Amino acid sequence: METCIIQSPLGFTKIHGDINGISSINVLNSKEKITDIIPLELEDCVHQFKEYFEGKRKQFNLKLNPQGTEFQKKVWKQLEQIPYGKTLSYLELSKQLGDVKAIRAVASANGKNPLWIIVPCHRVIGSDGSLTGYAGGLHRKKWLLEHESPYKQQSLF
């Protein structure tokens, strides 16, 4: 398993993967040493991440290999269908998965998503439009949703 640490606008980011795909991407809450030489298996991921933060990429095209239960993988696959710049409630996500009663299990699987940003769990919000729990912190979720929003706040001064 290869690992690298890169700097993003939201903090240090650790990427794990190998020839079978990217297995995890996590934002870190502490300073880390940035990887000098990116492993070959992770180069495309690092490049696509950079493009995303520069506003040049709206979809990722990477081989993914997250570890989880079948149910979690089903939820994560459905998260990939939420378009850039759009949001979906946990209830809507549960309905799309075919079981409105599974909302808590869906929320739990969403929270265990190991592929930060690539599998866009940040696009899932409360039914009332509120920003709800986010493993990376609500300030990061807010930043990501604003970054993806087609409506940019203009400065008055």
Side-chain angles (χ1 to χ4, degrees):
M1 184 70 62
E2 300 291 342
T3 301
C4 73
I5 297 176
I6 62 170
Q7 177 70 54
S8 80
L10 295 174
F12 293 92
T13 303
K14 185 181 280 190
I15 302 171
H16 293 282
D18 57 25
I19 60 170
N20 296 315
I22 304 300
S23 58
S24 69
I25 302 171
N26 305 91
V27 64
L28 307 172
N29 289 317
S30 60
K31 277 191 167 185
E32 299 285 335
K33 183 181 180 325
I34 295 173
T35 304
D36 295 324
I37 299 171
I38 305 298
L40 181 65
E41 296 86 351
L42 306 179
E43 282 180 353
D44 197 31
C45 182
V46 170
H47 177 72
Q48 289 187 36
F49 238 65
K50 182 179 177 190
E51 289 179 333
Y52 170 83
F53 283 115
E54 291 172 347
K56 297 176 183 173
R57 175 172 291 277
K58 295 182 178 183
Q59 263 187 308
F60 293 92
N61 183 20
L62 297 166
K63 186 175 180 183
L64 305 178
N65 188 24
Q67 302 304 303
T69 67
E70 287 307 311
F71 179 77
Q72 288 170 334
K73 289 179 183 181
K74 181 179 173 185
V75 171
W76 301 336
K77 202 66 161 156
Q78 191 65 36
L79 289 171
E80 291 181 64
Q81 305 309 309
I82 306 171
Y84 182 97
K86 302 288 184 190
T87 57
L88 193 70
S89 73
Y90 289 98
L91 181 60
E92 291 169 317
L93 183 59
S94 297
K95 286 179 183 176
Q96 286 181 358
L97 290 163
D99 188 357
V100 70
K101 294 177 187 170
I103 190 168
R104 288 180 191 241
V106 167
S108 176
N110 190 61
K112 291 179 178 147
N113 169 24
L115 294 165
W116 183 59
I117 298 177
I118 306 290
V119 174
C121 58
H122 62 278
R123 296 180 189 153
V124 182
I125 58 174
S127 293
D128 62 357
S130 64
L131 296 185
T132 55
Y134 185 63
L138 289 180
H139 66 290
R140 289 188 179 109
K141 183 172 188 166
K142 181 177 186 286
W143 190 97
L144 290 166
L145 292 175
E146 287 174 356
H147 175 70
E148 294 181 0
S149 174
Y151 310 104
K152 303 296 180 200
Q153 179 67 38
Q154 299 294 316
S155 173
L156 298 176
F157 303 100

